[in-house]
């Protein structure tokens, strides 16, 4: 019994669960992206329209609705969508991701690699942050990981694995649209690298594409039958033009490196060592060499595909976590268990990577005044913690890499896991910019008497979807004083606007500021017409 309780999958699952649910009551939806799918799920429960839910009164068709359906399903027994029920699908997907990575690494490289890879995933900053967000990225990463694991098994002569590969790819599409087709792109690219005929034949493309088409087809077909114009706009604007590269600023050019580092922190510090060992492995032959080549292709294609898009978000790089963790698990198993010599990487390589990150950070701060202000406000809270954890993290990595006594390396890895978990959790908790549940509660107490039962709220320079979620009423977004005046002339009775709007522009005639408060690091004001 004790052996089962301390088995690798139980340990990996327990660590993943702990990292996903700690301090869960403090999670608040602060942005439109975070509140979008909970609001869609709320509309599904309220109106019962599972195909065409409304978002602030407008039919939503930008992405398939799998996450909204799951949130609605979890919330259905209690009859309402809450912040906690909205997070359940992402939390479960995160725990499942750690276990799938464990199983995939064990299948690819052995049980030791599985244990290390699962713990690396669970203690990465990208895992901690996105396990606690009601957005589709964690669910997408889970399905992409399952798909590529099954795709690898398919290329290794497992005939039924094609069902898992194409089925999981279809579920990834239902999570986030065309971005979910990434596994198919990755395996085709890998097949074209070498031995094309054998690899392409192993993918069973004719039957697989037929299955994938059958899974994917209902979303566009139902959209065309019910809301053709909305679907066309969503595909053109949200799924295609949104990601087309435009002329970028300096900060846009360095954002991919920053975002990838943020997802992989702190295990990304090992990347130069792992890449050197992986390149050496490519010189050999056999199954391990082919698997390492697949993982390198997976990481490279994912990074390039996201880096070339016009829109840069940290969460877009979350699928990069899986191949990085699998390669890290493979490398750690060789160093810790098989006592493989750690390749020497010139310190100049680390200096170059560190310099690139420093330059990219400087470019970002120079190009974005708002980032400078946020950094200045948050520094007292997390600066000391970041310094302490950084020193401990480097010490743990050095212990793994430099320790001449190989018996100490398992202890060094355990220390590195603890430090990584503290770093990821500490970085999340030290973010003082986010609003709190109490702040939204105080705002609701002020707005409720003014707006009445069904009155709308106007938002100006404030994210409208979090207001919609916490105030439980329609929110009309405006961007000018004229828009605010028209809203008050209509059916709106109260407005929530950013403090900088109040300070930089005169209020329209007949409008007064009733109350000032804060939502996180931002000041807001409650306005109402003088009636």
């Amino acid at each position: 019994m004790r052996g089962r309780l301390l088995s690798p999958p139980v340990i990996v699952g327990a660590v993943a669960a702990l990292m996903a649910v700690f301090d869960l009551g403090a999670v608040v939806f602060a942005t439109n992206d975070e509140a979008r799918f909970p609001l869609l799920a709320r509309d599904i429960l309220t109106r019962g329209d599972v195909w065409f839910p409304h978002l602030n009164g407008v039919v939503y068709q930008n992405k398939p609705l799998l996450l909204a359906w799951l949130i609605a399903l979890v919330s259905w027994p209690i009859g309402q969508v809450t912040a906690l029920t909205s997070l359940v699908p992402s939390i479960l997907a995160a725990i499942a991701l750690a276990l799938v990575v464990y199983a995939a690494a064990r299948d690819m490289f052995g049980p030791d690699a599985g244990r290390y890879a699962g713990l690396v995933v669970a203690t990465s900053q990208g895992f901690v942050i996105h396990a606690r967000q009601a957005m589709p990225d964690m669910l997408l990463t889970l399905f992409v990981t399952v798909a590529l694991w099954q795709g690898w098994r398919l290329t290794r002569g497992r005939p039924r694995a094609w069902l898992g590969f194409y089925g999981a790819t279809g579920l990834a599409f239902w999570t986030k649209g065309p971005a979910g087709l990434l596994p198919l792109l990755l395996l085709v690219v890998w097949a074209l690298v070498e031995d094309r005929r054998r690899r392409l034949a192993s993918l069973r493309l004719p039957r697989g594409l037929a299955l994938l088409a059958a899974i994917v087809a209902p979303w566009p077909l139902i959209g065309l039958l019910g809301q053709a114009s909305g679907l066309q706009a969503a595909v053109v604007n949200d799924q295609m033009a949104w990601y087309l590269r435009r002329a970028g600023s300096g900060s846009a050019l360095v954002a991919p490196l920053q975002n990838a580092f943020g997802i992989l922190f702190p295990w990304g510090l090992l990347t130069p060592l792992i890449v050197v060992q992986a390149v050496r492995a490519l010189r050999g032959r056999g199954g391990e060499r082919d698997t390492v080549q697949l993982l390198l292709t997976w990481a490279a294609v994912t990074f390039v595909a996201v880096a070339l898009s016009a829109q840069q978000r940290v969460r877009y790089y979350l699928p990069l976590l899986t191949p990085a963790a699998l390669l890290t698990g493979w490398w750690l198993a060789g160093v810790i268990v098989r006592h493989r010599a750690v390749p020497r990487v010139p310190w100049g390589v680390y200096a170059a990577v560190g310099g690139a990150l420093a330059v990219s950070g400087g470019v970002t701060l120079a190009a974005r005044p708002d980032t400078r202000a946020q950094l200045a406000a948050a520094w007292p809270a997390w600066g000391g913690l970041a310094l302490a954890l950084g020193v401990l993290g480097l010490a743990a990595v050095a212990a793994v890499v430099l320790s001449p006594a190989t018996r100490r390396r398992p202890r060094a890895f355990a220390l590195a896991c603890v430090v990584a978990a503290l770093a990821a959790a500490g970085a999340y908790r030290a973010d003082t910019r986010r609003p709190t549940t109490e702040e939204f509660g105080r705002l609701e107490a002020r707005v409720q008497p003014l707006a009445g039962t069904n009155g709308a709220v106007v938002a100006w320079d404030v994210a409208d979807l979090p207001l919609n979620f916490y105030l439980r009423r329609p929110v009309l977004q405006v961007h000018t004083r004229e828009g605010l005046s028209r809203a008050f002339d209509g059916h709106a009775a109260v407005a929530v606007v950013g403090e900088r709007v109040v300070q930089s522009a005169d209020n329209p005639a007949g409008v007064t500021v009733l109350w000032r408060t804060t939502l996180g690091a931002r000041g807001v004001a409650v306005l109402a017409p003088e009636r």
Side-chain angles (χ1 to χ4, degrees):
M1 178 62 72
R2 185 172 181 272
R4 291 182 181 180
L5 291 177
L6 296 179
S7 64
V10 172
I11 293 174
V12 169
V15 172
L18 178 64
M19 298 304 295
V21 305
F22 80 93
D23 200 16
L24 201 58
V27 176
V28 175
F29 303 141
T31 68
N32 285 342
D33 289 336
E34 293 171 359
R36 180 172 293 113
F37 282 90
L39 285 173
L40 291 170
R42 178 183 291 174
D43 189 76
I44 290 172
L45 287 183
T46 302
R47 298 175 51 251
D49 191 342
V50 298
W51 288 108
F52 302 107
H54 290 181
L55 190 65
N56 251 348
V58 179
V59 174
Y60 179 84
Q61 289 183 283
N62 289 12
K63 292 180 177 65
L65 297 167
L66 179 59
L67 179 60
W69 293 339
L70 292 177
I71 295 174
L73 181 63
V74 172
S75 306
W76 173 73
I78 64 174
Q80 62 177 335
V81 176
T82 67
L84 180 59
T85 60
S86 299
L87 296 174
V88 169
S90 291
I91 292 171
L92 294 180
I95 298 171
L97 174 66
L99 292 173
V100 169
V101 168
Y102 160 78
R106 182 189 59 185
D107 209 4
M108 293 174 176
F109 302 116
D112 297 311
R115 180 172 64 255
Y116 296 137
L119 291 174
V120 165
V121 164
T123 54
S124 296
Q125 182 170 264
F127 179 93
V128 173
I129 293 175
H130 295 88
R132 317 157 67 75
Q133 293 184 343
M135 291 191 285
D137 301 278
M138 184 58 76
L139 196 62
L140 171 70
T141 302
L142 170 63
F143 289 137
V144 167
T145 301
V146 172
L148 285 166
W149 172 32
Q150 295 303 305
W152 174 83
R153 297 180 75 246
L154 181 61
T155 63
R156 305 288 290 181
R158 311 287 177 86
R160 294 184 180 179
W162 73 276
L163 293 170
F165 172 60
Y166 291 101
T169 302
L171 291 175
F173 177 91
W174 274 98
T175 302
K176 206 170 180 179
L181 301 179
L182 180 65
L184 181 61
L185 171 65
L186 289 172
L187 275 191
V188 169
V189 170
W190 176 72
L192 294 177
V193 171
E194 63 180 59
D195 199 6
R196 301 178 183 178
R197 181 175 298 180
R198 182 186 66 82
R199 289 182 176 180
L200 287 174
S202 69
L203 297 182
R204 306 196 176 191
L205 288 172
R207 68 171 68 177
L209 292 177
L211 174 62
L212 183 60
I215 296 173
V216 167
W219 183 65
L221 290 178
I222 294 175
L224 288 173
L225 293 175
Q227 296 283 340
S229 60
L231 178 65
Q232 182 179 359
V235 172
V236 173
N237 298 328
D238 190 68
Q239 303 291 351
M240 297 176 62
W242 184 260
Y243 298 101
L244 295 178
R245 168 61 69 185
R246 303 176 180 88
S249 62
S251 59
L253 296 176
V254 300
L257 180 61
Q258 292 177 326
N259 294 337
F261 182 79
I263 289 293
L264 302 179
F265 180 80
W267 297 102
L269 295 171
L270 293 173
T271 298
L273 293 168
I274 296 169
V275 170
V276 168
Q277 190 67 51
V279 171
R280 290 181 179 179
L282 294 181
R283 301 172 186 171
R285 294 177 178 238
E288 182 180 86
R289 181 259 185 192
D290 290 345
T291 302
V292 170
Q293 184 189 65
L294 173 60
L295 295 178
L296 289 174
T297 303
W298 182 350
V301 172
T302 300
F303 179 80
V304 171
V306 180
L308 290 178
S309 66
Q311 298 300 320
Q312 293 294 309
R313 304 284 190 275
V314 175
R315 65 180 183 273
Y316 294 170
Y317 291 83
L318 187 60
L320 191 62
L321 179 59
T322 300
L326 292 171
L327 285 170
T328 303
W330 163 76
W331 183 84
L332 287 169
V335 169
I336 296 175
V337 179
R338 295 193 292 273
H339 308 317
R340 178 186 293 159
V342 178
R344 293 190 174 274
V345 177
W347 288 108
V349 174
Y350 277 101
V353 174
L357 288 171
V359 170
S360 66
V363 171
T364 300
L365 292 176
R368 300 185 61 180
D370 58 329
T371 302
R372 294 199 300 270
Q374 293 169 358
L375 182 62
W379 174 255
W382 61 265
L385 175 65
L387 179 62
L389 292 175
V391 171
L392 288 175
L394 289 175
V397 171
V400 174
V401 173
L402 303 177
S403 176
T406 54
R407 67 180 181 275
R408 298 178 184 172
R409 289 178 177 174
R411 298 178 185 176
F413 173 73
L415 172 62
C417 284
V418 173
V419 172
L422 291 174
Y428 179 86
R429 288 295 294 128
D431 187 356
T432 59
R433 298 168 299 168
R434 298 181 66 83
T436 64
T437 304
E438 291 75 16
E439 289 173 339
F440 275 111
R442 290 194 296 267
L443 181 62
E444 182 183 16
R446 288 280 184 167
V447 169
Q448 177 69 23
L450 299 170
T453 304
N454 299 314
V457 172
V458 183
W460 182 7
D461 196 39
V462 178
D464 58 319
L465 297 187
L467 291 179
N468 188 317
F469 183 82
Y470 288 105
L471 302 183
R472 295 180 174 273
R473 61 184 64 251
V475 175
L476 175 64
Q477 184 80 47
V478 301
H479 304 282
T480 63
R481 288 183 297 167
E482 291 74 16
L484 181 62
S485 297
R486 287 194 299 270
F488 279 148
D489 290 339
H491 61 284
V494 62
V496 180
V497 305
E499 180 66 29
R500 62 183 178 181
V501 171
V502 177
Q503 295 177 351
S504 63
D506 295 332
N507 294 329
V511 176
T512 183
V513 177
L514 298 180
W515 187 54
R516 282 181 165 89
T517 186
T518 58
L519 289 177
R522 297 197 58 191
V524 298
V526 176
L527 278 60
E530 297 175 350
R531 294 174 181 170

